[in-house]
Amino acid sequence: MPEGGLGELDSRARDIFRSIVESYLSTGDPVGSRNVSRILTTALSPASVRNVMADLEEMGLIYAPHTSAGRLPTEMGLRFFIDTLMEVGDLSKEERKLIDKEVVKAAGDVDSAESLLSEAGHMLSAMSHGAGVVATGKQDIRLKHVEFVRIEPARVLAVLVGETGTVENRIIDVPRNLPTSALVEAANYINAHFVGRTLAEARRELEAQHDERRREIDKLTERVIAAGVATWSGVAEESSTLIVRGMSNLIGDVKAIEDLERLKLLFDDLESKKDIIQVLGLAEHGEGVRIFIGSENKLFSLSGSSLVVAPFRDSDEKVVGVLGVIGPTRLNYARVVPTVNYTAQLLTQLLGR
């Protein structure tokens, strides 16, 4: 950004810049000085518009994709427009009712949180004409009950039941000479000491009480307990979820071979769930909606896409995931932002029940 920055823009330059950006967001095409002069509410000749466009280009706000073509906003220009010029209205009552109907109905009809999140992603895709995305990390289950069942001489199935009724099964390795009584003692110890605690809390407590615990249980039982708790509390990446709905909407925006390459990179990222923890971190440290344009979005920077995300929380106000919209940099931000924000708030209410 040049010294003096965007504060140097007078009202005429801002009007011309706004017209260029709004035309781009609407059509995706470069716009020339003649068309801009027709759009403006104040009379201004194409020659005068060209002079202002030259200044805007020098400031890095717009550029010409081809010789003798019209102008498009740069990523910096889009950022300036979103931060200072874009008017984000609230959703209409009809739009809120539509979101309520789709998401709240899903909350009553489906039998899992993942199904609810999937419905939210589908709704976001339909309303934004982009791809709806929902990302959640491993839910730190609070323990209700544990059992250990031998399935092979040196392997045991550990069954964990959470307070919410969720069940997780994990296979752990144990010594071949481990007696069945040690499995029973291990389960009894965990059920007696760690009910109501998260797995992370249980593991920390196990480590802190190591010496005291040794006096209560023998060495073989201790190994089963440690292995069981570590297995559950160390699988965050496996338990992460990335839900994407409406990727076909992005195909309709393809206008050139380079767009196809951009789209392929984006699809590859999504299919591989690449850097999902980074998706969660995008919105975790801020309130409300965050917008990442092109290269600002380090997750999908190679695809030239924009990401609009907001966090949703559980009943303890802890961020448990993010949802939003992925699309081209010419997303209808003024419409997408309030839609994402309202849906995130609604999910927070539903998950907090």
Side-chain angles (χ1 to χ4, degrees):
M1 184 70 61
E3 188 176 354
L6 300 170
E8 295 178 351
L9 292 183
D10 56 25
S11 60
R12 186 173 67 172
R14 285 177 179 247
D15 287 343
I16 292 173
F17 176 67
R18 184 196 299 273
S19 298
I20 294 172
V21 175
E22 290 179 346
S23 175
Y24 165 71
L25 295 180
S26 175
T27 68
D29 297 324
V31 59
S33 56
R34 186 173 299 277
N35 285 333
V36 171
S37 67
R38 292 170 181 166
I39 297 171
L40 295 174
T41 55
T42 56
L44 201 62
S45 69
S48 298
V49 171
R50 280 195 296 273
N51 290 335
V52 175
M53 289 172 69
D55 294 336
L56 294 172
E57 189 168 1
E58 186 176 348
M59 295 180 70
L61 297 179
I62 63 175
Y63 74 102
H66 307 289
T67 305
S68 302
R71 299 298 185 269
L72 293 173
T74 62
E75 288 183 7
M76 185 174 74
L78 281 175
R79 171 55 61 189
F80 169 63
F81 174 81
I82 289 170
D83 290 345
T84 63
L85 299 179
M86 184 176 70
E87 297 177 2
V88 178
D90 200 358
L91 295 176
S92 67
K93 289 183 179 180
E94 290 72 21
E95 289 172 324
R96 287 173 180 263
K97 286 181 180 179
L98 176 61
I99 296 174
D100 289 344
K101 178 182 177 182
E102 295 298 321
V103 179
V104 175
K105 179 177 181 296
D109 291 348
V110 300
D111 56 3
S112 72
E114 184 168 334
S115 297
L116 170 61
L117 300 179
S118 179
E119 289 297 322
H122 178 76
M123 185 277 302
L124 284 173
S125 170
M127 294 192 69
S128 68
H129 304 295
V133 59
V134 184
T136 63
K138 171 177 172 287
Q139 301 301 303
D140 212 351
I141 297 173
R142 291 193 176 276
L143 182 65
K144 180 180 180 181
H145 184 74
V146 163
E147 288 186 23
F148 295 107
V149 181
R150 190 192 301 277
I151 56 175
E152 293 179 10
R155 305 184 84 192
V156 167
L157 178 68
V159 183
L160 176 146
V161 180
E163 286 186 340
T164 61
T166 56
V167 179
E168 289 190 18
N169 299 318
R170 294 287 185 272
I171 295 176
I172 59 176
D173 296 323
V174 297
R176 284 183 172 270
N177 61 340
L178 182 73
T180 301
S181 60
L183 296 177
V184 176
E185 290 177 22
N188 290 341
Y189 185 87
I190 294 177
N191 291 330
H193 290 78
F194 301 121
V195 170
R197 288 174 172 79
T198 66
L199 297 170
E201 292 170 347
R203 183 164 65 173
R204 286 194 297 269
E205 194 164 328
L206 279 170
E207 293 169 352
Q209 296 180 353
H210 182 270
D211 293 335
E212 182 180 344
R213 191 178 69 250
R214 265 186 197 282
R215 292 192 293 268
E216 298 182 44
I217 55 178
D218 62 37
K219 189 173 183 180
L220 289 178
T221 303
E222 178 186 353
R223 289 175 64 178
V224 176
I225 294 171
V229 173
T231 297
W232 284 309
S233 59
V235 293
E237 186 172 342
E238 287 184 15
S239 301
S240 297
T241 300
L242 180 65
I243 300 170
V244 182
R245 292 293 178 266
M247 290 206 300
S248 60
N249 285 342
L250 303 179
I251 298 176
D253 185 59
V254 172
K255 297 193 175 201
I257 295 297
E258 55 266 28
D259 287 335
L260 285 173
E261 290 301 316
R262 172 185 63 79
L263 204 59
K264 182 180 182 299
L265 288 168
L266 176 58
F267 283 7
D268 287 346
D269 284 348
L270 295 177
E271 287 296 328
S272 65
K273 297 186 179 182
K274 182 180 177 183
D275 297 331
I276 184 174
I277 301 304
Q278 192 174 352
V279 177
L280 291 170
L282 292 178
E284 191 171 10
H285 302 296
E287 296 292 332
V289 179
R290 298 189 66 187
I291 301 172
F292 300 86
I293 303 170
S295 60
E296 294 177 354
N297 175 7
K298 298 190 185 305
L299 181 62
F300 301 127
S301 60
L302 291 179
S303 70
S305 302
S306 284
L307 180 64
V308 181
V309 288
F312 55 90
R313 304 170 186 272
D314 60 14
S315 56
D316 297 324
E317 289 299 308
K318 175 186 175 184
V319 173
V320 293
V322 298
L323 62 81
V325 172
I326 298 173
T329 53
R330 65 179 194 89
L331 273 175
N332 185 346
Y333 299 98
R335 175 178 171 82
V336 171
V337 167
T339 302
V340 168
N341 188 49
Y342 184 75
T343 306
Q345 293 173 356
L346 186 58
L347 269 188
T348 295
Q349 294 174 15
L350 294 173
L351 294 174
R353 289 179 181 176

